[in-house]
Amino acid sequence: APERVAGLVVLDISPVRYYSDNKKASGGVGDDSGWKVVEQIVRSVAQIDLEEGGYKTKREVDAVLRDGILEDPALRAFVLTNLEQLRAKDVSDAESQSLLKWKIHWDGIVNELDRIAGFDVHDQSMDSNLEGLEEQQQQSPQYTYDGDVFFIHGGASRFVRSSHLPTITSYFPNHMLTTIRGVGHWVHAEA
């Protein structure tokens, strides 16, 4: 319920659908946002089997990430915040179980990547091809949030674009947008 939210901060994302390939589903030009890279990172991290790999420390997993998909130390540090180091007394058999566990359900995220890439509300696609946006908003005005919204855009990212501003304004009429220069999509890890 919108009345329960005093304000909203949105980090480098717009209320639009992102695509992982070079062409939109409708056959148009790809969005070139970087969503494909996000998908690759999530899928790659999800494939790291802590038990099978026998990893005992975050440092070992960090090395796997560094040698595989994530050269950026800030982004690796962010991913590793989702990894919990257990103490031997917290596991039933320290010899047969990894002392590490993911705090989040990577497979669940992988299974919902398409939904995460979209802007769906109650299973209704809110794709914002700007041609139908006004009509869509007139039909569904309940999807407007009138509270304060602060959008933070990473200056080196392509997830928030000037072409998205009409869409942002239609859903969040009381928004403010700022850009942090020199950072990409992972604003919270890079700034």
Side-chain angles (χ1 to χ4, degrees):
E3 61 275 359
R4 296 173 128 190
V5 179
L8 182 64
V9 176
V10 180
L11 293 179
D12 202 56
I13 200 84
S14 292
V16 298
R17 169 164 285 289
Y18 294 97
Y19 296 90
S20 60
D21 57 10
N22 291 330
K23 294 186 177 184
K24 291 183 179 180
S26 63
V29 178
D31 71 3
D32 192 31
S33 64
W35 178 251
K36 184 175 186 172
V37 173
V38 172
E39 276 193 349
Q40 289 172 338
I41 290 169
V42 169
R43 290 181 192 283
S44 296
V45 173
Q47 291 177 354
I48 297 174
D49 187 328
L50 299 174
E51 234 178 283
E52 188 176 299
Y55 308 113
K56 302 287 185 208
T57 67
K58 283 187 176 185
R59 180 172 282 166
E60 291 173 337
V61 177
D62 182 51
V64 170
L65 292 171
R66 183 185 61 242
D67 295 341
I69 53 157
L70 289 177
E71 293 179 18
D72 181 357
L75 189 49
R76 284 198 321 273
F78 170 64
V79 168
L80 290 172
T81 64
N82 295 293
L83 188 59
E84 183 176 9
Q85 180 86 48
L86 303 172
R87 292 178 286 206
K89 69 176 188 164
D90 294 335
V91 294
S92 57
D93 183 359
E95 295 301 313
S96 66
Q97 294 186 3
S98 173
L99 294 175
L100 298 170
K101 96 174 186 183
W102 291 111
K103 295 178 186 179
I104 61 176
H105 182 54
W106 285 107
D107 290 337
I109 293 171
V110 167
N111 292 338
E112 297 295 332
L113 278 170
D114 187 57
R115 180 174 260 179
I116 293 167
F119 184 66
D120 300 341
V121 179
H122 301 291
D123 291 327
Q124 176 183 353
S125 174
M126 302 305 276
D127 282 346
S128 57
N129 54 22
L130 295 177
E131 302 153 8
L133 182 61
E134 270 185 47
E135 180 182 327
Q136 195 175 31
Q137 274 296 82
Q138 288 171 354
Q139 293 172 0
S140 304
Q142 72 269 25
Y143 297 127
T144 299
Y145 176 71
D146 293 317
D148 293 333
V149 180
F150 186 37
F151 279 83
I152 301 173
H153 169 236
S157 168
R158 300 187 49 83
F159 275 82
V160 178
R161 299 178 181 203
S162 58
S163 63
H164 296 160
L165 290 177
T167 306
I168 291 170
T169 301
S170 74
Y171 290 110
F172 307 102
N174 192 25
H175 77 278
M176 185 170 84
L177 173 68
T178 193
T179 299
I180 300 177
R181 293 181 186 186
V183 300
H185 176 63
W186 312 95
V187 176
H188 48 295
E190 296 177 38

